PDB file of all heavy atoms in Angstrom:
ATOM      1  N   ALA W 137     -11.629  -9.765 -10.868  1.00 97.00           N
ATOM      2  CA  ALA W 137     -12.715  -9.598 -11.834  1.00 97.00           C
ATOM      3  C   ALA W 137     -12.605  -8.281 -12.583  1.00 97.00           C
ATOM      4  O   ALA W 137     -12.748  -8.230 -13.814  1.00 97.00           O
ATOM      5  CB  ALA W 137     -14.067  -9.695 -11.122  1.00 97.00           C
ATOM      6  N   ASP W 167     -22.069 -23.027 -15.429  1.00 93.00           N
ATOM      7  CA  ASP W 167     -21.092 -21.940 -15.563  1.00 93.00           C
ATOM      8  C   ASP W 167     -19.671 -22.476 -15.477  1.00 93.00           C
ATOM      9  O   ASP W 167     -18.779 -22.035 -16.209  1.00 93.00           O
ATOM     10  CB  ASP W 167     -21.306 -20.897 -14.464  1.00 93.00           C
ATOM     11  CG  ASP W 167     -22.582 -20.100 -14.651  1.00 93.00           C
ATOM     12  OD1 ASP W 167     -22.950 -19.838 -15.805  1.00 93.00           O
ATOM     13  OD2 ASP W 167     -23.213 -19.757 -13.636  1.00 93.00           O
ATOM     14  N   THR W 201      -6.114 -16.524  -0.097  1.00 97.00           N
ATOM     15  CA  THR W 201      -6.303 -15.228   0.560  1.00 97.00           C
ATOM     16  C   THR W 201      -5.866 -15.320   2.016  1.00 97.00           C
ATOM     17  O   THR W 201      -5.744 -16.407   2.586  1.00 97.00           O
ATOM     18  CB  THR W 201      -7.771 -14.762   0.505  1.00 97.00           C
ATOM     19  OG1 THR W 201      -8.572 -15.574   1.373  1.00 97.00           O
ATOM     20  CG2 THR W 201      -8.307 -14.838  -0.921  1.00 97.00           C
ATOM     21  N   GLY W 206      -6.010 -18.208  13.233  1.00 91.00           N
ATOM     22  CA  GLY W 206      -4.574 -18.162  13.487  1.00 91.00           C
ATOM     23  C   GLY W 206      -3.743 -19.159  12.720  1.00 91.00           C
ATOM     24  O   GLY W 206      -2.696 -18.819  12.174  1.00 91.00           O
TER      25      GLY W 206
END
Side-chain angles (χ1 to χ4, degrees):
D167 290 325
T201 71

